[in-house]
Amino acid sequence: MDNREYNSVDICVNKFEDNSVGKLLDKLEKYEEWMVLWSEYLTDTLAFTAVSEKANMQEVIQNILLSNAQGNSCLSINRATVERLRSLVAFGDKSHTCPFIYDGKRVYLYRYYALEQRLATQVKRLTEQPSINLDISAYKDLLVDEYQQLALKMVAKHYLGIITGGPGTGKTYTLARIIAVLNKETPDLRIAMAAPTGKAAQRMQEALQSAFQDKLLNDKGLVTPALQMVQPVTLHRLLAMGNRGIAKFNLKQPLPFDVIVVDEASMLDLNLATALFEAVADGAKLILLGDANQLASVGVGSVLADLQQIEALQAYRTHLVHSRRFNDDAQIGKMAKFIQQVSTSTSFDHEQLLKRFNEEVVRVSHIEYIDLNTIVEDHLQLTYLPKKITEAELEKNLDQLCLGYTDYIKAVKAYNSVEGEEESDLALLRQKVLDCFNDYRILTAMNVGVFGVNRMNQYIEQQFKQEVLGYSKREIDWYVGRPVMVMENDYQLGISNGDIGICFRHRQDHKQYEVFFPSLNKWVVATRLPQTIHTAFAMTIHKSQGSEFEHVAVVLEESPQRLLSRELLYTAITRAKRVVSLFVDPQSLTTALSVKTVRQSGLCSKIDSFVKAVDV
C-alpha cells in the first residue's frame, strides 16, 4: 500500500475512533435537522392529499432515522403503519430498490438491511465449511481451566471461533496458547491480528508479547520467531479501507491469511463486521475475542452481542467464566455482579435500588487516599455528588479526585530534584513516574460538563503545576510529568489515537522536553507532537476501554443521564484491578444500574434461518 492509501486509512480510522458517546448529543442535534429535511423530501414524492397524513409519515421516517442514530439497525413497527409509506418501502420485493425495506416485523433503511443480509451470508459460509480434524491431544496440559480448554478445541475444529469473557478470565492468555498450537501444527501459517482501534491493537500486542514469554510455551518450543513478529494492526489498516470506507480486501480479493484474530470485538459495528467477514478467505479461520457486557459499538449494530446469543452458533462460541482478577466475594467483583443482575424493568424504584446497592455492595463514605502498597484486598469507596454544587463543593470534590495522584506527584518531584545523574539512575526515576501514573486514572462519561474530561483536566493540571512547579501558569504547555493523549493517528510519528505518553526532560538536552509513550517504547520530541493532543489526567470511559489501572475514580454527574447504561458503568469499574472510587449523582447511578443497552437488530433471525446448528 502506498503513502496515499495509508493516509486514507488514517483518516478513516480517526473518524471511527473519534466518535464517542460523549459526542452523541451533538450528533443527534445535527442529525435531527437532516432527518426533518429528508422526511419532508421523501413525503413530497408521495403527493399526500391530507396534511395530517403527510405529517404522520414524516414522523415515522424521522423515528426510523433516529433509531439508526441510536445504534439500531432497524425499528420494530406494524405492517399497517409501514404500508402508508407506499412506494417508499419494499416488502421483500427485490425487483426494485426503495429507501426502506420491511421484513414482516422490522423496517430498515435499505443499507442496513443489505448489510445484515451480507453478514448473515458470510457467517453461513464460514460455518458450512467442513470441520477440521486437528489433533491437539499433545497440548492438554497447556490450559488447566475447562472453559479455556473448550476454546482450544473449538478453534481447532471450526473456521469461526468466538471467545467471550469478562476482565481477568484469560482471553489473551488463552488466545496465545491457541495461536501457538495452530502455528506448531500448521507449517508456514499466515497469521493476522487486529482490533477496531489503534490503541486496542497496541494493547493486544503488549498482552501477547507478555503471554509469549510463558515458560511452558517456550519449553515446548511453541513460540517461534515468526509468531513473535506478528504485529497487530487496526482493522481499517488490515482491510485497507480508504477515506470512503471501502475495503481493498473483500469477497473478490480476500485477505492473504490463514488465521485472522480480532480483539475487542464488542466494538465492531455492522458495517465493519460485514467488511471483515467478507474479506476472510475460504479455508481461513476467524477468531473473535471480546466482552459483550462492555460498551456497544459506536456505529450501528451490536454484532458481538448478537452472535453470542444465536442458538445455531453455540458450537462456535466459548464463554470464559473464571476471573483471576475479581472474585464474587471481593467488593469490585460484587459490584460487577450486581450490575449484571439488576432488573431492567422500566418501572423501578430509584430509592429502593440505591438502598440495595448500599446494603449489598458499598455504603456511602468519605473518599480517602488509598496506599496501594499496603492494601491487601480490593476496595470500593462511594460518595454522592450534591444536586446543586457550589464552587467550593466543586473544588472539594476535585481535590479528592486529585488524591489518587499523590504518589505520582511525589515521583515527579523526585525526578525533578536530581541534576547531573547518570542515565541509568534517571531511567529508574522515570520508570517510577510511569508506574505511579499507570496506577490511577479518572474516568467520566463526557468531555464536557462540570465533571467532564475538559474541566477536570484543566483543574488537575493547575493543581499539579502548583504542587510540582510552584506556579500554575496556563501558558506553559510543556513540563515534566504532563500526561498527554494522542487524539488522531500519525503513522509518520508512529503514534495512534488514544496513545498516552508522559513528558520528561530531553535525555540529551535538559532545556528541551520529550514525551515517552510506554505502550510503544517510543520517545517523541514534545514540539513534534500534533496540536490536537490533550492533557490526560482524566479520560472518557470509552477511551479507557481495554485499559487496566490499579485504582480508578469513576465520576457520573447529573447532566449526562441520557447516555448512562449498565455497560458504561461495568466498563468503567472493571478497568480497576484493586480500587474503585465512585463520585456519583445518586439518580445517575441508579439510571446506569438499571438501563441495559439492547439494540434492535434482525441479524439473529437472519443467521438463525441460514445456519444449521451443529453438535459441540
Side-chain angles (χ1 to χ4, degrees):
M1 189 187 298
D2 61 27
N3 288 335
R4 287 174 299 176
E5 287 180 290
Y6 273 136
N7 289 337
S8 294
V9 171
D10 298 345
I11 294 169
C12 190
V13 176
N14 282 330
K15 287 181 178 179
F16 178 82
E17 293 178 335
D18 284 344
N19 285 320
S20 69
V21 161
K23 297 180 180 179
L24 184 57
L25 292 178
D26 290 338
K27 176 182 175 182
L28 290 181
E29 287 176 3
K30 296 175 183 177
Y31 203 71
E32 287 168 359
E33 182 180 353
W34 177 80
M35 287 191 299
V36 171
L37 292 175
W38 204 53
S39 66
E40 289 176 350
Y41 169 76
L42 288 175
T43 51
D44 281 345
T45 65
L46 299 180
F48 284 109
T49 55
V51 175
S52 60
E53 178 71 357
K54 181 177 181 179
N56 288 338
M57 290 302 96
Q58 286 176 0
E59 185 177 354
V60 169
I61 293 171
Q62 290 165 22
N63 285 337
I64 297 169
L65 299 179
L66 181 59
S67 179
N68 293 152
Q70 293 169 336
N72 304 293
S73 62
C74 54
L75 181 66
S76 295
I77 196 168
N78 63 67
R79 185 183 181 95
T81 300
V82 176
E83 286 177 341
R84 291 155 65 193
L85 289 172
R86 303 180 189 176
S87 61
L88 295 178
V89 62
F91 295 84
D93 181 5
K94 305 296 174 62
S95 62
H96 67 288
T97 300
C98 297
F100 306 104
I101 288 184
Y102 188 66
D103 69 354
K105 295 180 180 179
R106 298 164 289 259
V107 64
Y108 292 81
L109 278 179
Y110 181 87
R111 165 181 170 76
Y112 297 123
Y113 181 85
L115 283 172
E116 283 191 354
Q117 287 288 109
R118 287 164 55 190
L119 181 54
T121 300
Q122 297 313 308
V123 172
K124 177 175 183 283
R125 175 175 65 90
L126 290 179
T127 57
E128 282 184 342
Q129 297 184 60
S131 298
I132 309 159
N133 295 316
L134 185 64
D135 184 9
I136 57 172
S137 58
Y139 307 105
K140 288 181 179 179
D141 61 337
L142 278 183
L143 295 162
V144 178
D145 184 286
E146 60 179 307
Y147 296 99
Q148 295 174 352
Q149 291 174 346
L150 285 173
L152 173 58
K153 292 177 183 177
M154 173 189 69
V155 173
K157 185 177 181 181
H158 299 300
Y159 288 96
L160 173 63
I162 304 167
I163 303 174
T164 59
T169 52
K171 293 188 293 295
T172 307
Y173 171 89
T174 305
L175 172 68
R177 279 156 172 70
I178 290 173
I179 293 298
V181 170
L182 295 178
N183 188 58
K184 181 73 172 180
E185 293 296 317
T186 309
D188 303 317
L189 189 69
R190 299 169 299 171
I191 303 170
M193 296 188 183
T197 67
K199 188 173 72 168
Q202 289 158 10
R203 289 195 306 269
M204 186 184 189
Q205 181 180 16
E206 295 165 27
L208 284 170
Q209 283 178 344
S210 176
F212 287 145
Q213 300 302 313
D214 183 84
K215 186 176 184 299
L216 181 59
L217 286 181
N218 284 276
D219 287 347
K220 287 181 174 290
L222 294 176
V223 181
T224 65
L227 193 60
Q228 291 178 310
M229 289 177 62
V230 176
Q231 179 81 26
V233 296
T234 64
L235 268 174
H236 293 79
R237 173 160 286 200
L238 178 69
L239 298 171
M241 278 187 160
N243 190 31
R244 296 172 58 198
I246 300 174
K248 176 180 178 181
F249 294 101
N250 48 47
L251 278 171
K252 294 182 179 179
Q253 185 179 353
L255 289 163
F257 297 104
D258 304 304
V259 177
I260 300 163
V261 182
V262 177
D263 197 9
E264 298 292 350
S266 62
M267 292 179 169
L268 287 175
D269 62 22
L270 189 56
N271 182 63
L272 192 57
T274 302
L276 167 66
F277 274 70
E278 289 184 339
V280 178
D282 287 337
K285 288 180 180 290
L286 175 62
I287 305 171
L288 304 178
L289 281 81
D291 182 356
N293 291 322
Q294 291 190 29
L295 289 161
S297 64
V298 173
V300 169
S302 51
V303 175
L304 183 64
D306 285 345
L307 292 178
Q308 74 169 18
Q309 65 178 306
I310 297 171
E311 187 64 32
L313 295 182
Q314 292 310 299
Y316 306 92
R317 182 225 174 184
T318 300
H319 182 66
L320 306 182
V321 174
H322 302 128
S323 175
R324 274 72 180 172
R325 191 193 307 177
F326 305 125
N327 61 66
D328 290 343
D329 295 328
Q331 282 191 296
I332 300 176
K334 281 184 179 179
M335 183 169 178
K337 188 175 181 180
F338 187 90
I339 292 171
Q340 298 305 318
Q341 294 180 343
V342 173
S343 170
T344 56
S345 171
T346 54
S347 56
F348 66 92
D349 188 324
H350 281 273
E351 291 187 6
Q352 186 62 34
L353 180 56
L354 207 59
K355 181 181 178 183
R356 275 189 57 206
F357 181 75
N358 293 149
E359 292 175 349
E360 298 177 25
V361 181
V362 61
R363 295 188 180 279
V364 179
S365 63
H366 295 291
I367 300 296
E368 300 176 347
Y369 164 72
I370 303 294
D371 186 349
L372 295 173
N373 297 311
T374 60
I375 189 172
V376 178
E377 297 181 346
D378 70 334
H379 187 64
L380 193 61
Q381 49 184 353
L382 166 69
T383 191
Y384 290 146
L385 298 174
K387 282 291 182 184
K388 293 183 179 179
I389 192 164
T390 65
E391 190 63 28
E393 289 171 325
L394 173 61
E395 291 190 4
K396 178 183 176 182
N397 280 280
L398 290 173
D399 286 339
Q400 286 181 308
L401 285 165
C402 289
L403 288 176
Y405 284 120
T406 299
D407 291 342
Y408 180 61
I409 290 172
K410 290 179 181 177
V412 174
K413 283 183 174 180
Y415 173 86
N416 276 339
S417 66
V418 299
E419 290 288 346
E421 293 286 332
E422 295 291 331
E423 175 57 29
S424 58
D425 295 327
L426 286 173
L428 290 174
L429 291 170
R430 283 196 296 263
Q431 188 59 50
K432 180 66 174 176
V433 170
L434 295 170
D435 291 342
C436 289
F437 181 70
N438 287 329
D439 280 345
Y440 178 66
R441 204 58 41 88
I442 302 169
L443 307 180
T444 187
M446 296 183 68
N447 286 307
V448 297
V450 176
F451 287 97
V453 167
N454 299 337
R455 176 70 176 89
M456 287 196 290
N457 275 326
Q458 178 185 341
Y459 183 86
I460 297 171
E461 183 173 46
Q462 289 177 347
Q463 299 304 108
F464 182 87
K465 286 181 179 179
Q466 187 66 50
E467 184 73 23
V468 174
L469 306 178
Y471 53 84
S472 58
K473 293 181 179 178
R474 292 184 60 187
E475 60 267 21
I476 297 176
D477 290 330
W478 293 108
Y479 52 88
V480 172
R482 182 191 178 191
V484 295
M485 177 183 285
V486 178
M487 305 306 291
E488 59 184 29
N489 293 340
D490 189 326
Y491 288 108
Q492 186 175 2
L493 291 178
I495 55 178
S496 301
N497 189 342
D499 285 338
I500 291 180
I502 305 293
C503 180
F504 293 99
R505 294 193 299 267
H506 197 287
R507 288 162 295 166
Q508 282 75 47
D509 182 2
H510 285 188
K511 294 181 181 179
Q512 303 297 323
Y513 295 101
E514 57 183 343
V515 175
F516 181 67
F517 293 90
S519 64
L520 307 174
N521 194 28
K522 178 186 289 291
W523 289 91
V524 180
V525 175
T527 53
R528 291 195 62 197
L529 289 169
Q531 295 295 313
T532 54
I533 58 168
H534 287 182
T535 300
F537 290 104
M539 62 196 296
T540 63
I541 296 169
H542 273 75
K543 283 287 188 183
S544 76
Q545 195 164 356
S547 300
E548 293 181 0
F549 310 100
E550 296 295 323
H551 180 184
V552 163
V554 181
V555 186
L556 298 179
E557 60 180 302
E558 185 178 8
S559 56
Q561 286 196 37
R562 286 172 58 189
L563 308 177
L564 298 174
S565 67
R566 64 170 57 178
E567 290 81 7
L568 188 80
L569 186 58
Y570 174 85
T571 300
I573 69 159
T574 55
R575 300 310 93 210
K577 294 181 181 179
R578 292 196 285 164
V579 181
V580 173
S581 300
L582 296 167
F583 292 75
V584 296
D585 167 69
Q587 181 84 15
S588 294
L589 175 62
T590 54
T591 300
L593 284 168
S594 55
V595 175
K596 181 174 176 59
T597 302
V598 179
R599 291 184 170 178
Q600 293 192 52
S601 163
L603 183 62
C604 293
S605 61
K606 288 181 175 65
I607 293 177
D608 263 329
S609 65
F610 281 179
V611 178
K612 294 181 179 179
V614 300
D615 294 330
V616 178

